[in-house]
């Protein structure tokens, strides 16, 4: 999964204006983020039609504020620059909860 810094864009909106994306917000100090991180490669493979972008919230506060990300780990699904779903709260998330969320967004 690429970090947003890997895109070398001034504005995160620019990185997601075309295509399908899952934005993953986390922080190095967050134990609930560390809980889901080992499952991220499986999720990326399962939903490979999406580009997954990792945001360290502490390094990307502007993006977190733009998207009202108050709790982490959090996931936001973007399609062609528009948010189509979010799983944003401070609770620990299992792989199954993330799958259920993404499936509910893509099967609308």
């Amino acid at each position: 999964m690429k970090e947003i810094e890997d895109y070398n864009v001034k504005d995160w909106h620019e990185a997601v204006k075309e295509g399908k994306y899952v934005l993953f917000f986390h922080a190095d100090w967050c134990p609930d983020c560390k809980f889901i991180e080992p499952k991220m490669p499986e999720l990326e493979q399962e939903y490979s039609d999406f580009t997954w972008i990792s945001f360290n919230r502490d390094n990307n506060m502007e993006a977190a504020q733009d998207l009202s990300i108050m709790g982490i780990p959090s996931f936001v699904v973007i399609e062609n620059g528009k948010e189509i779903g979010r799983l944003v709260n401070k609770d620990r998330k299992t792989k199954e909860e993330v799958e259920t969320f993404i499936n509910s967004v893509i099967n609308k």
Side-chain angles (χ1 to χ4, degrees):
M1 178 180 331
K2 288 189 168 191
E3 285 283 334
I4 188 61
E5 291 87 3
D6 296 337
Y7 284 89
N8 195 25
V9 293
K10 291 181 186 176
D11 184 355
W12 67 270
H13 296 91
E14 193 68 26
V16 300
K17 70 179 182 181
E18 292 183 15
K20 299 189 316 184
Y21 298 86
V22 176
L23 312 182
F24 170 52
F25 285 85
H26 61 92
D28 295 336
W29 51 264
C30 169
D32 292 335
C33 301
K34 297 296 182 199
F35 177 81
I36 192 65
E37 280 179 3
K39 299 298 184 186
M40 294 305 291
E42 294 172 35
L43 287 164
E44 286 182 75
Q45 186 172 20
E46 189 173 340
Y47 299 97
S48 61
D49 51 331
F50 288 85
T51 299
W52 290 69
I53 303 176
S54 173
F55 286 81
N56 182 314
R57 193 195 64 179
D58 293 342
N59 299 337
N60 296 282
M61 285 305 293
E62 185 176 316
Q65 289 171 344
D66 283 353
L67 287 165
S68 299
I69 306 295
M70 301 301 167
I72 50 174
S74 289
F75 298 83
V76 178
V77 179
I78 306 278
E79 187 169 1
N80 296 322
K82 295 189 176 153
E83 180 180 323
I84 60 171
R86 62 176 34 227
L87 180 58
V88 175
N89 58 47
K90 63 179 176 49
D91 298 332
R92 176 173 284 187
K93 293 156 186 75
T94 64
K95 178 179 181 250
E96 292 75 23
E97 288 171 319
V98 176
E99 290 169 327
T100 298
F101 157 67
I102 294 173
N103 289 334
S104 73
V105 170
I106 62 178
N107 293 322
K108 283 186 178 178

